[in-house]
Amino acid sequence: MTTPTEVLKDALDFDSIADVFVTESISASPAELHGQLCGYLASGVSLPLEQWLAMVVEFCDIEAWKDTASREAIVTLYNATLTLLQNGEYAFEPSIADDDSELSVRGMTLSQWAHGFLAGYGLSGKKDNLSDDVKQVLQDFANISAMQSEMKDLEDNNDNEADLTELIEYVRLSAMMLYSEHHEVNPDVDHTKSNPLH
């Protein structure tokens, strides 16, 4: 049986968001878009759904959605991300290429996600009184973001896979840590109910 958490995690599936981008003829990176959302939320600044949708349209350089299902997928991505960050189950995951993809693709999308996270954090305007932990994470994310060319050449082998898996886990936990610095955990929260699709 599928748990509510698994349903939320499905909404963060990279391929699903990539399909939306194909449908909408968007050339931007789905991983970067999700990173931007997470960076903004982790900065402690609230981001209402309508403001997020406006940011997406700008990020993707589109005037309007061709398909209502595309907009719904983006709304679901927002709701699921917010719920997973807030519910204290530590089930949140960055939306990057999955384990079936080549290591180079997974690495590239992780770099893009980190780049988006930094952009989102910057867009939120949160700059002052950053703790040393936060500064360290942002610096680490900047380093990961700068690794796109190395990631592109990543060969499939066990050592590289272990290193990349460790890096993905670090990014996942760091994003949750930054979010929890500003937000109380709420196990009962479910933003899919408070932000319906229509």
Side-chain angles (χ1 to χ4, degrees):
M1 186 171 142
T2 309
T3 66
T5 298
E6 283 168 350
V7 172
L8 291 168
K9 285 166 76 170
D10 283 347
L12 271 55
D13 179 63
F14 177 82
D15 290 337
S16 303
I17 305 303
D19 288 346
V20 169
F21 277 35
V22 170
T23 301
E24 299 291 329
S25 310
I26 295 166
S27 59
S29 155
E32 191 172 337
L33 176 70
H34 188 241
Q36 190 179 84
L37 169 64
C38 297
Y40 204 108
L41 293 172
S43 73
V45 178
S46 68
L47 178 63
L49 176 61
E50 289 309 320
Q51 191 181 336
W52 154 245
L53 287 170
M55 280 170 62
V56 174
V57 167
E58 190 176 326
F59 174 87
C60 296
D61 198 20
I62 54 174
E63 287 182 17
W65 299 104
K66 296 178 192 168
D67 191 332
T68 52
S70 300
R71 184 183 183 278
E72 287 172 8
I74 296 298
V75 170
T76 305
L77 177 70
Y78 167 91
N79 289 330
T81 299
L82 207 46
T83 304
L84 285 168
L85 283 170
Q86 212 171 355
N87 67 10
E89 284 190 24
Y90 297 100
F92 165 82
E93 288 177 1
S95 179
I96 60 171
D98 64 22
D99 296 351
D100 298 333
S101 306
E102 291 177 8
L103 279 189
S104 57
V105 175
R106 289 170 64 198
M108 279 281 292
T109 53
L110 181 67
S111 283
Q112 290 165 350
W113 192 92
H115 183 77
F117 189 97
L118 293 171
Y121 208 96
L123 279 171
S124 74
K126 184 85 173 168
K127 300 281 191 303
D128 47 347
N129 304 327
L130 299 181
S131 70
D132 288 343
D133 284 347
V134 171
K135 286 178 186 166
Q136 183 60 58
V137 167
L138 295 177
Q139 182 55 57
D140 290 340
F141 279 22
N143 293 339
I144 295 167
S145 167
M147 289 168 66
Q148 287 200 34
S149 54
E150 292 100 304
M151 294 294 196
K152 204 186 295 181
D153 300 327
L154 206 59
E155 289 178 18
D156 281 296
N157 64 46
N158 290 342
D159 285 349
N160 284 346
E161 180 153 13
D163 289 346
L164 185 61
T165 301
E166 204 173 291
L167 204 53
I168 292 168
E169 185 64 3
Y170 171 74
V171 165
R172 189 179 86 80
L173 293 172
S174 297
M176 286 189 289
M177 181 199 81
L178 260 59
Y179 182 85
S180 64
E181 279 217 353
H182 304 288
H183 303 272
E184 293 295 317
V185 164
N186 180 353
D188 302 320
V189 73
D190 183 353
H191 292 279
T192 55
K193 292 186 173 64
S194 56
N195 285 306
L197 295 175
H198 304 292

